mmCIF file of all heavy atoms in Angstrom:
data_model
loop_
_atom_site.group_PDB
_atom_site.id
_atom_site.type_symbol
_atom_site.label_atom_id
_atom_site.label_comp_id
_atom_site.label_asym_id
_atom_site.label_seq_id
_atom_site.Cartn_x
_atom_site.Cartn_y
_atom_site.Cartn_z
ATOM 1 N N LEU C 1 80.090 -57.524 46.521
ATOM 2 C CA LEU C 1 80.343 -56.254 47.199
ATOM 3 C C LEU C 1 79.316 -56.007 48.295
ATOM 4 O O LEU C 1 79.638 -55.545 49.395
ATOM 5 C CB LEU C 1 80.295 -55.100 46.194
ATOM 6 C CG LEU C 1 81.457 -54.975 45.222
ATOM 7 C CD1 LEU C 1 81.130 -53.957 44.141
ATOM 8 C CD2 LEU C 1 82.734 -54.584 45.952
ATOM 9 N N ASN C 2 78.078 -56.325 47.996
ATOM 10 C CA ASN C 2 77.001 -56.162 48.976
ATOM 11 C C ASN C 2 77.241 -57.034 50.211
ATOM 12 O O ASN C 2 77.095 -56.569 51.349
ATOM 13 C CB ASN C 2 75.671 -56.519 48.309
ATOM 14 C CG ASN C 2 74.529 -56.677 49.286
ATOM 15 O OD1 ASN C 2 74.104 -57.802 49.569
ATOM 16 N ND2 ASN C 2 74.015 -55.577 49.792
ATOM 17 N N GLN C 3 77.642 -58.278 49.984
ATOM 18 C CA GLN C 3 77.820 -59.215 51.080
ATOM 19 C C GLN C 3 79.101 -58.972 51.874
ATOM 20 O O GLN C 3 79.097 -59.018 53.113
ATOM 21 C CB GLN C 3 77.815 -60.650 50.541
ATOM 22 C CG GLN C 3 76.482 -61.091 49.974
ATOM 23 C CD GLN C 3 75.405 -61.174 51.028
ATOM 24 O OE1 GLN C 3 75.497 -61.963 51.968
ATOM 25 N NE2 GLN C 3 74.376 -60.346 50.900
ATOM 26 N N GLU C 4 80.189 -58.693 51.172
ATOM 27 C CA GLU C 4 81.493 -58.615 51.838
ATOM 28 C C GLU C 4 81.815 -57.229 52.365
ATOM 29 O O GLU C 4 82.551 -57.099 53.352
ATOM 30 C CB GLU C 4 82.599 -59.073 50.882
ATOM 31 C CG GLU C 4 82.483 -60.539 50.492
ATOM 32 C CD GLU C 4 83.619 -60.995 49.595
ATOM 33 O OE1 GLU C 4 84.466 -60.151 49.236
ATOM 34 O OE2 GLU C 4 83.655 -62.203 49.261
ATOM 35 N N GLN C 5 81.285 -56.166 51.713
ATOM 36 C CA GLN C 5 81.615 -54.819 52.138
ATOM 37 C C GLN C 5 80.406 -54.045 52.668
ATOM 38 O O GLN C 5 80.500 -52.858 52.963
ATOM 39 C CB GLN C 5 82.263 -54.060 50.978
ATOM 40 C CG GLN C 5 83.544 -54.716 50.507
ATOM 41 C CD GLN C 5 84.341 -53.834 49.572
ATOM 42 O OE1 GLN C 5 84.264 -52.616 49.618
ATOM 43 N NE2 GLN C 5 85.123 -54.454 48.708
ATOM 44 N N ASP C 6 79.266 -54.725 52.774
ATOM 45 C CA ASP C 6 78.060 -54.127 53.342
ATOM 46 C C ASP C 6 77.611 -52.892 52.565
ATOM 47 O O ASP C 6 77.048 -51.959 53.136
ATOM 48 C CB ASP C 6 78.285 -53.769 54.822
ATOM 49 C CG ASP C 6 76.979 -53.729 55.601
ATOM 50 O OD1 ASP C 6 76.056 -54.475 55.239
ATOM 51 O OD2 ASP C 6 76.888 -52.943 56.566
ATOM 52 N N ILE C 7 77.894 -52.876 51.257
ATOM 53 C CA ILE C 7 77.429 -51.775 50.414
ATOM 54 C C ILE C 7 75.958 -51.996 50.093
ATOM 55 O O ILE C 7 75.551 -53.093 49.706
ATOM 56 C CB ILE C 7 78.242 -51.700 49.107
ATOM 57 C CG1 ILE C 7 79.698 -51.293 49.409
ATOM 58 C CG2 ILE C 7 77.627 -50.729 48.121
ATOM 59 C CD1 ILE C 7 80.601 -51.308 48.192
ATOM 60 N N THR C 8 75.159 -50.965 50.281
ATOM 61 C CA THR C 8 73.742 -51.041 49.956
ATOM 62 C C THR C 8 73.577 -50.958 48.442
ATOM 63 O O THR C 8 74.124 -50.065 47.804
ATOM 64 C CB THR C 8 72.967 -49.893 50.632
ATOM 65 O OG1 THR C 8 73.208 -49.934 52.044
ATOM 66 C CG2 THR C 8 71.475 -50.005 50.370
ATOM 67 N N VAL C 9 72.827 -51.895 47.882
ATOM 68 C CA VAL C 9 72.626 -51.962 46.437
ATOM 69 C C VAL C 9 71.150 -51.739 46.114
ATOM 70 O O VAL C 9 70.274 -52.367 46.713
ATOM 71 C CB VAL C 9 73.072 -53.324 45.871
ATOM 72 C CG1 VAL C 9 72.717 -53.436 44.385
ATOM 73 C CG2 VAL C 9 74.573 -53.528 46.070
ATOM 74 N N VAL C 10 70.906 -50.825 45.178
ATOM 75 C CA VAL C 10 69.560 -50.629 44.641
ATOM 76 C C VAL C 10 69.647 -50.909 43.148
ATOM 77 O O VAL C 10 70.327 -50.189 42.420
ATOM 78 C CB VAL C 10 69.032 -49.212 44.891
ATOM 79 C CG1 VAL C 10 67.631 -49.060 44.294
ATOM 80 C CG2 VAL C 10 69.017 -48.884 46.386
ATOM 81 N N LEU C 11 68.984 -51.952 42.707
ATOM 82 C CA LEU C 11 69.071 -52.402 41.323
ATOM 83 C C LEU C 11 67.700 -52.344 40.656
ATOM 84 O O LEU C 11 66.739 -52.943 41.148
ATOM 85 C CB LEU C 11 69.603 -53.837 41.279
ATOM 86 C CG LEU C 11 69.587 -54.560 39.934
ATOM 87 C CD1 LEU C 11 70.536 -53.890 38.951
ATOM 88 C CD2 LEU C 11 69.961 -56.035 40.117
ATOM 89 N N VAL C 12 67.615 -51.600 39.557
ATOM 90 C CA VAL C 12 66.404 -51.589 38.733
ATOM 91 C C VAL C 12 66.613 -52.580 37.602
ATOM 92 O O VAL C 12 67.589 -52.479 36.858
ATOM 93 C CB VAL C 12 66.121 -50.185 38.159
ATOM 94 C CG1 VAL C 12 64.963 -50.241 37.153
ATOM 95 C CG2 VAL C 12 65.801 -49.203 39.271
ATOM 96 N N GLU C 13 65.713 -53.544 37.483
ATOM 97 C CA GLU C 13 65.928 -54.593 36.494
ATOM 98 C C GLU C 13 64.615 -55.288 36.151
ATOM 99 O O GLU C 13 63.776 -55.527 37.033
ATOM 100 C CB GLU C 13 66.940 -55.618 37.032
ATOM 101 C CG GLU C 13 67.336 -56.712 36.085
ATOM 102 C CD GLU C 13 67.957 -56.208 34.797
ATOM 103 O OE1 GLU C 13 69.036 -55.589 34.853
ATOM 104 O OE2 GLU C 13 67.357 -56.438 33.735
ATOM 105 N N HIS C 14 64.430 -55.602 34.856
ATOM 106 C CA HIS C 14 63.271 -56.365 34.411
ATOM 107 C C HIS C 14 63.538 -57.865 34.482
ATOM 108 O O HIS C 14 62.619 -58.661 34.670
ATOM 109 C CB HIS C 14 62.917 -56.006 32.961
ATOM 110 C CG HIS C 14 62.326 -54.644 32.801
ATOM 111 N ND1 HIS C 14 61.071 -54.312 33.238
ATOM 112 C CD2 HIS C 14 62.834 -53.516 32.252
ATOM 113 C CE1 HIS C 14 60.808 -53.051 32.958
ATOM 114 N NE2 HIS C 14 61.880 -52.539 32.361
ATOM 115 N N ARG C 15 64.805 -58.253 34.304
ATOM 116 C CA ARG C 15 65.139 -59.670 34.171
ATOM 117 C C ARG C 15 65.238 -60.331 35.547
ATOM 118 O O ARG C 15 66.322 -60.562 36.076
ATOM 119 C CB ARG C 15 66.435 -59.826 33.377
ATOM 120 C CG ARG C 15 66.310 -59.330 31.956
ATOM 121 C CD ARG C 15 67.531 -59.651 31.121
ATOM 122 N NE ARG C 15 68.689 -58.855 31.464
ATOM 123 C CZ ARG C 15 69.857 -58.916 30.828
ATOM 124 N NH1 ARG C 15 70.010 -59.754 29.825
ATOM 125 N NH2 ARG C 15 70.863 -58.148 31.179
ATOM 126 N N LEU C 16 64.088 -60.652 36.118
ATOM 127 C CA LEU C 16 64.063 -61.220 37.467
ATOM 128 C C LEU C 16 64.617 -62.635 37.504
ATOM 129 O O LEU C 16 65.042 -63.103 38.554
ATOM 130 C CB LEU C 16 62.640 -61.196 38.022
ATOM 131 C CG LEU C 16 61.971 -59.818 38.115
ATOM 132 C CD1 LEU C 16 60.698 -59.905 38.944
ATOM 133 C CD2 LEU C 16 62.908 -58.774 38.716
ATOM 134 N N ASP C 17 64.617 -63.325 36.356
ATOM 135 C CA ASP C 17 65.240 -64.649 36.305
ATOM 136 C C ASP C 17 66.700 -64.588 36.732
ATOM 137 O O ASP C 17 67.217 -65.516 37.343
ATOM 138 C CB ASP C 17 65.173 -65.215 34.876
ATOM 139 C CG ASP C 17 63.860 -65.920 34.596
ATOM 140 O OD1 ASP C 17 63.534 -66.848 35.346
ATOM 141 O OD2 ASP C 17 63.168 -65.527 33.648
ATOM 142 N N LEU C 18 67.367 -63.481 36.395
ATOM 143 C CA LEU C 18 68.787 -63.335 36.702
ATOM 144 C C LEU C 18 69.038 -62.690 38.062
ATOM 145 O O LEU C 18 70.097 -62.891 38.659
ATOM 146 C CB LEU C 18 69.468 -62.481 35.623
ATOM 147 C CG LEU C 18 69.545 -63.051 34.205
ATOM 148 C CD1 LEU C 18 70.175 -62.023 33.273
ATOM 149 C CD2 LEU C 18 70.342 -64.346 34.186
ATOM 150 N N THR C 19 68.105 -61.892 38.543
ATOM 151 C CA THR C 19 68.407 -61.012 39.677
ATOM 152 C C THR C 19 67.658 -61.298 40.972
ATOM 153 O O THR C 19 68.140 -60.932 42.042
ATOM 154 C CB THR C 19 68.120 -59.554 39.285
ATOM 155 O OG1 THR C 19 66.756 -59.451 38.815
ATOM 156 C CG2 THR C 19 69.048 -59.093 38.175
ATOM 157 N N ALA C 20 66.493 -61.920 40.911
ATOM 158 C CA ALA C 20 65.669 -62.086 42.119
ATOM 159 C C ALA C 20 66.407 -62.836 43.230
ATOM 160 O O ALA C 20 66.219 -62.558 44.415
ATOM 161 C CB ALA C 20 64.361 -62.804 41.771
ATOM 162 N N LYS C 21 67.271 -63.784 42.847
ATOM 163 C CA LYS C 21 67.960 -64.605 43.851
ATOM 164 C C LYS C 21 68.947 -63.806 44.696
ATOM 165 O O LYS C 21 69.325 -64.246 45.791
ATOM 166 C CB LYS C 21 68.695 -65.760 43.170
ATOM 167 C CG LYS C 21 69.787 -65.323 42.201
ATOM 168 C CD LYS C 21 70.401 -66.522 41.490
ATOM 169 C CE LYS C 21 71.442 -66.103 40.465
ATOM 170 N NZ LYS C 21 72.018 -67.262 39.734
ATOM 171 N N TYR C 22 69.370 -62.631 44.215
ATOM 172 C CA TYR C 22 70.336 -61.838 44.970
ATOM 173 C C TYR C 22 69.669 -60.915 45.982
ATOM 174 O O TYR C 22 70.293 -60.502 46.965
ATOM 175 C CB TYR C 22 71.177 -60.985 44.017
ATOM 176 C CG TYR C 22 71.965 -61.765 43.008
ATOM 177 C CD1 TYR C 22 71.667 -61.688 41.650
ATOM 178 C CD2 TYR C 22 73.007 -62.606 43.401
ATOM 179 C CE1 TYR C 22 72.392 -62.409 40.713
ATOM 180 C CE2 TYR C 22 73.726 -63.335 42.474
ATOM 181 C CZ TYR C 22 73.414 -63.228 41.131
ATOM 182 O OH TYR C 22 74.131 -63.949 40.207
ATOM 183 N N ALA C 23 68.430 -60.554 45.740
ATOM 184 C CA ALA C 23 67.775 -59.505 46.532
ATOM 185 C C ALA C 23 67.181 -60.041 47.829
ATOM 186 O O ALA C 23 66.696 -61.170 47.890
ATOM 187 C CB ALA C 23 66.683 -58.839 45.695
ATOM 188 N N ASN C 24 67.208 -59.204 48.854
ATOM 189 C CA ASN C 24 66.479 -59.510 50.084
ATOM 190 C C ASN C 24 65.270 -58.579 50.253
ATOM 191 O O ASN C 24 64.507 -58.701 51.198
ATOM 192 C CB ASN C 24 67.396 -59.407 51.312
ATOM 193 C CG ASN C 24 67.797 -57.965 51.620
ATOM 194 O OD1 ASN C 24 68.176 -57.219 50.717
ATOM 195 N ND2 ASN C 24 67.708 -57.576 52.880
ATOM 196 N N HIS C 25 65.107 -57.653 49.287
ATOM 197 C CA HIS C 25 64.009 -56.672 49.356
ATOM 198 C C HIS C 25 63.585 -56.376 47.912
ATOM 199 O O HIS C 25 64.379 -55.864 47.130
ATOM 200 C CB HIS C 25 64.505 -55.402 50.064
ATOM 201 C CG HIS C 25 63.433 -54.399 50.333
ATOM 202 N ND1 HIS C 25 63.675 -53.226 51.042
ATOM 203 C CD2 HIS C 25 62.122 -54.350 49.996
ATOM 204 C CE1 HIS C 25 62.562 -52.522 51.118
ATOM 205 N NE2 HIS C 25 61.596 -53.188 50.488
ATOM 206 N N LEU C 26 62.364 -56.720 47.593
ATOM 207 C CA LEU C 26 61.824 -56.482 46.259
ATOM 208 C C LEU C 26 60.757 -55.394 46.328
ATOM 209 O O LEU C 26 59.868 -55.446 47.173
ATOM 210 C CB LEU C 26 61.215 -57.769 45.692
ATOM 211 C CG LEU C 26 60.502 -57.665 44.331
ATOM 212 C CD1 LEU C 26 61.485 -57.285 43.235
ATOM 213 C CD2 LEU C 26 59.796 -58.977 43.989
ATOM 214 N N VAL C 27 60.885 -54.407 45.421
ATOM 215 C CA VAL C 27 59.913 -53.312 45.333
ATOM 216 C C VAL C 27 59.280 -53.355 43.952
ATOM 217 O O VAL C 27 59.989 -53.294 42.943
ATOM 218 C CB VAL C 27 60.587 -51.941 45.563
ATOM 219 C CG1 VAL C 27 59.575 -50.806 45.384
ATOM 220 C CG2 VAL C 27 61.215 -51.874 46.956
ATOM 221 N N VAL C 28 57.968 -53.475 43.907
ATOM 222 C CA VAL C 28 57.242 -53.500 42.640
ATOM 223 C C VAL C 28 56.485 -52.181 42.501
ATOM 224 O O VAL C 28 55.693 -51.817 43.364
ATOM 225 C CB VAL C 28 56.258 -54.677 42.566
ATOM 226 C CG1 VAL C 28 55.533 -54.684 41.216
ATOM 227 C CG2 VAL C 28 56.992 -55.999 42.775
ATOM 228 N N MET C 29 56.756 -51.466 41.386
ATOM 229 C CA MET C 29 56.135 -50.166 41.143
ATOM 230 C C MET C 29 55.161 -50.229 39.969
ATOM 231 O O MET C 29 55.331 -51.021 39.051
ATOM 232 C CB MET C 29 57.203 -49.103 40.870
ATOM 233 C CG MET C 29 58.072 -48.762 42.044
ATOM 234 S SD MET C 29 59.277 -47.445 41.649
ATOM 235 C CE MET C 29 58.165 -46.070 41.270
ATOM 236 N N ASP C 30 54.167 -49.347 40.016
ATOM 237 C CA ASP C 30 53.248 -49.178 38.897
ATOM 238 C C ASP C 30 52.618 -47.794 39.006
ATOM 239 O O ASP C 30 52.172 -47.401 40.088
ATOM 240 C CB ASP C 30 52.171 -50.263 38.906
ATOM 241 C CG ASP C 30 51.324 -50.257 37.640
ATOM 242 O OD1 ASP C 30 51.851 -49.882 36.577
ATOM 243 O OD2 ASP C 30 50.123 -50.624 37.718
ATOM 244 N N LYS C 31 52.626 -47.037 37.923
ATOM 245 C CA LYS C 31 52.011 -45.710 37.861
ATOM 246 C C LYS C 31 52.503 -44.778 38.967
ATOM 247 O O LYS C 31 51.732 -44.059 39.585
ATOM 248 C CB LYS C 31 50.488 -45.837 37.916
ATOM 249 C CG LYS C 31 49.909 -46.627 36.745
ATOM 250 C CD LYS C 31 48.413 -46.818 36.857
ATOM 251 C CE LYS C 31 47.879 -47.634 35.695
ATOM 252 N NZ LYS C 31 46.424 -47.913 35.810
ATOM 253 N N GLY C 32 53.830 -44.820 39.198
ATOM 254 C CA GLY C 32 54.443 -43.910 40.148
ATOM 255 C C GLY C 32 54.284 -44.279 41.604
ATOM 256 O O GLY C 32 54.712 -43.540 42.492
ATOM 257 N N LYS C 33 53.693 -45.427 41.871
ATOM 258 C CA LYS C 33 53.460 -45.859 43.245
ATOM 259 C C LYS C 33 54.100 -47.217 43.487
ATOM 260 O O LYS C 33 54.443 -47.930 42.534
ATOM 261 C CB LYS C 33 51.954 -45.971 43.529
ATOM 262 C CG LYS C 33 51.150 -44.695 43.316
ATOM 263 C CD LYS C 33 49.668 -44.954 43.548
ATOM 264 C CE LYS C 33 48.819 -43.715 43.263
ATOM 265 N NZ LYS C 33 49.058 -42.652 44.257
ATOM 266 N N ILE C 34 54.240 -47.581 44.751
ATOM 267 C CA ILE C 34 54.686 -48.919 45.118
ATOM 268 C C ILE C 34 53.455 -49.799 45.293
ATOM 269 O O ILE C 34 52.591 -49.514 46.123
ATOM 270 C CB ILE C 34 55.523 -48.897 46.408
ATOM 271 C CG1 ILE C 34 56.855 -48.180 46.164
ATOM 272 C CG2 ILE C 34 55.779 -50.323 46.901
ATOM 273 C CD1 ILE C 34 57.726 -48.056 47.397
ATOM 274 N N CYS C 35 53.379 -50.861 44.482
ATOM 275 C CA CYS C 35 52.249 -51.800 44.580
ATOM 276 C C CYS C 35 52.429 -52.742 45.767
ATOM 277 O O CYS C 35 51.493 -53.034 46.501
ATOM 278 C CB CYS C 35 52.130 -52.630 43.317
ATOM 279 S SG CYS C 35 51.859 -51.679 41.839
ATOM 280 N N CYS C 36 53.652 -53.237 45.908
ATOM 281 C CA CYS C 36 53.950 -54.137 47.015
ATOM 282 C C CYS C 36 55.456 -54.207 47.190
ATOM 283 O O CYS C 36 56.225 -53.913 46.271
ATOM 284 C CB CYS C 36 53.362 -55.526 46.786
ATOM 285 S SG CYS C 36 53.824 -56.270 45.224
ATOM 286 N N GLU C 37 55.863 -54.596 48.364
ATOM 287 C CA GLU C 37 57.293 -54.759 48.652
ATOM 288 C C GLU C 37 57.479 -55.782 49.756
ATOM 289 O O GLU C 37 56.583 -56.027 50.565
ATOM 290 C CB GLU C 37 57.928 -53.423 49.051
ATOM 291 C CG GLU C 37 57.361 -52.797 50.301
ATOM 292 C CD GLU C 37 58.176 -51.594 50.757
ATOM 293 O OE1 GLU C 37 59.421 -51.692 50.812
ATOM 294 O OE2 GLU C 37 57.559 -50.573 51.082
ATOM 295 N N GLY C 38 58.644 -56.390 49.769
ATOM 296 C CA GLY C 38 58.947 -57.404 50.768
ATOM 297 C C GLY C 38 60.008 -58.334 50.227
ATOM 298 O O GLY C 38 60.702 -58.018 49.259
ATOM 299 N N HIS C 39 60.149 -59.503 50.844
ATOM 300 C CA HIS C 39 61.123 -60.473 50.360
ATOM 301 C C HIS C 39 60.633 -61.052 49.033
ATOM 302 O O HIS C 39 59.438 -61.326 48.872
ATOM 303 C CB HIS C 39 61.330 -61.599 51.374
ATOM 304 C CG HIS C 39 62.545 -62.420 51.090
ATOM 305 N ND1 HIS C 39 62.556 -63.420 50.128
ATOM 306 C CD2 HIS C 39 63.800 -62.377 51.607
ATOM 307 C CE1 HIS C 39 63.762 -63.964 50.072
ATOM 308 N NE2 HIS C 39 64.534 -63.357 50.962
ATOM 309 N N PRO C 40 61.525 -61.252 48.057
ATOM 310 C CA PRO C 40 61.103 -61.769 46.748
ATOM 311 C C PRO C 40 60.288 -63.051 46.816
ATOM 312 O O PRO C 40 59.345 -63.238 46.044
ATOM 313 C CB PRO C 40 62.429 -61.996 46.017
ATOM 314 C CG PRO C 40 63.360 -61.012 46.623
ATOM 315 C CD PRO C 40 62.967 -60.909 48.072
ATOM 316 N N LYS C 41 60.624 -63.954 47.726
ATOM 317 C CA LYS C 41 59.895 -65.219 47.827
ATOM 318 C C LYS C 41 58.435 -65.002 48.219
ATOM 319 O O LYS C 41 57.557 -65.801 47.867
ATOM 320 C CB LYS C 41 60.577 -66.146 48.828
ATOM 321 C CG LYS C 41 61.883 -66.760 48.324
ATOM 322 C CD LYS C 41 62.445 -67.735 49.327
ATOM 323 C CE LYS C 41 63.763 -68.348 48.846
ATOM 324 N NZ LYS C 41 63.577 -69.288 47.739
ATOM 325 N N ASP C 42 58.172 -63.937 48.965
ATOM 326 C CA ASP C 42 56.795 -63.630 49.354
ATOM 327 C C ASP C 42 56.060 -62.891 48.240
ATOM 328 O O ASP C 42 54.894 -63.181 47.954
ATOM 329 C CB ASP C 42 56.781 -62.780 50.630
ATOM 330 C CG ASP C 42 57.417 -63.493 51.813
ATOM 331 O OD1 ASP C 42 57.238 -64.725 51.918
ATOM 332 O OD2 ASP C 42 58.092 -62.831 52.623
ATOM 333 N N ILE C 43 56.749 -61.940 47.606
ATOM 334 C CA ILE C 43 56.095 -61.067 46.626
ATOM 335 C C ILE C 43 55.829 -61.779 45.301
ATOM 336 O O ILE C 43 54.755 -61.649 44.703
ATOM 337 C CB ILE C 43 56.950 -59.809 46.378
ATOM 338 C CG1 ILE C 43 57.146 -59.040 47.687
ATOM 339 C CG2 ILE C 43 56.288 -58.919 45.333
ATOM 340 C CD1 ILE C 43 55.876 -58.602 48.357
ATOM 341 N N LEU C 44 56.786 -62.546 44.798
ATOM 342 C CA LEU C 44 56.671 -63.123 43.461
ATOM 343 C C LEU C 44 55.664 -64.263 43.378
ATOM 344 O O LEU C 44 55.311 -64.692 42.283
ATOM 345 C CB LEU C 44 58.042 -63.597 42.977
ATOM 346 C CG LEU C 44 59.039 -62.476 42.705
ATOM 347 C CD1 LEU C 44 60.403 -63.038 42.342
ATOM 348 C CD2 LEU C 44 58.532 -61.565 41.586
ATOM 349 N N PHE C 45 55.197 -64.737 44.500
ATOM 350 C CA PHE C 45 54.180 -65.787 44.508
ATOM 351 C C PHE C 45 52.770 -65.192 44.414
ATOM 352 O O PHE C 45 51.789 -65.905 44.292
ATOM 353 C CB PHE C 45 54.320 -66.641 45.770
ATOM 354 C CG PHE C 45 53.729 -68.011 45.648
ATOM 355 C CD1 PHE C 45 54.225 -68.900 44.712
ATOM 356 C CD2 PHE C 45 52.674 -68.414 46.453
ATOM 357 C CE1 PHE C 45 53.678 -70.170 44.589
ATOM 358 C CE2 PHE C 45 52.128 -69.677 46.330
ATOM 359 C CZ PHE C 45 52.630 -70.561 45.398
#
């Protein structure tokens, strides 16, 4: 749906093994703040 209909998707998920490959924007939160954000390939390393 995101790719074919240009629907913006915001997904909250712990299981990054299943979901990281779909995202083009990863947001990592801690204590009510954003610790870091960017492309998953940059952030998860």
Side-chain angles (χ1 to χ4, degrees):
L1 287 169
N2 168 255
Q3 293 294 297
E4 295 183 357
Q5 299 192 27
D6 205 30
I7 293 175
T8 304
V9 174
V10 179
L11 172 66
V12 172
E13 184 59 64
H14 288 290
R15 296 188 288 183
L16 301 192
D17 275 304
L18 294 177
T19 55
K21 62 184 177 182
Y22 300 113
N24 70 314
H25 187 176
L26 175 64
V27 177
V28 181
M29 292 182 63
D30 189 31
K31 298 176 181 177
K33 302 177 183 291
I34 292 178
C35 300
C36 53
E37 62 171 313
H39 194 280
K41 287 184 181 289
D42 299 323
I43 301 302
L44 292 175
F45 203 62

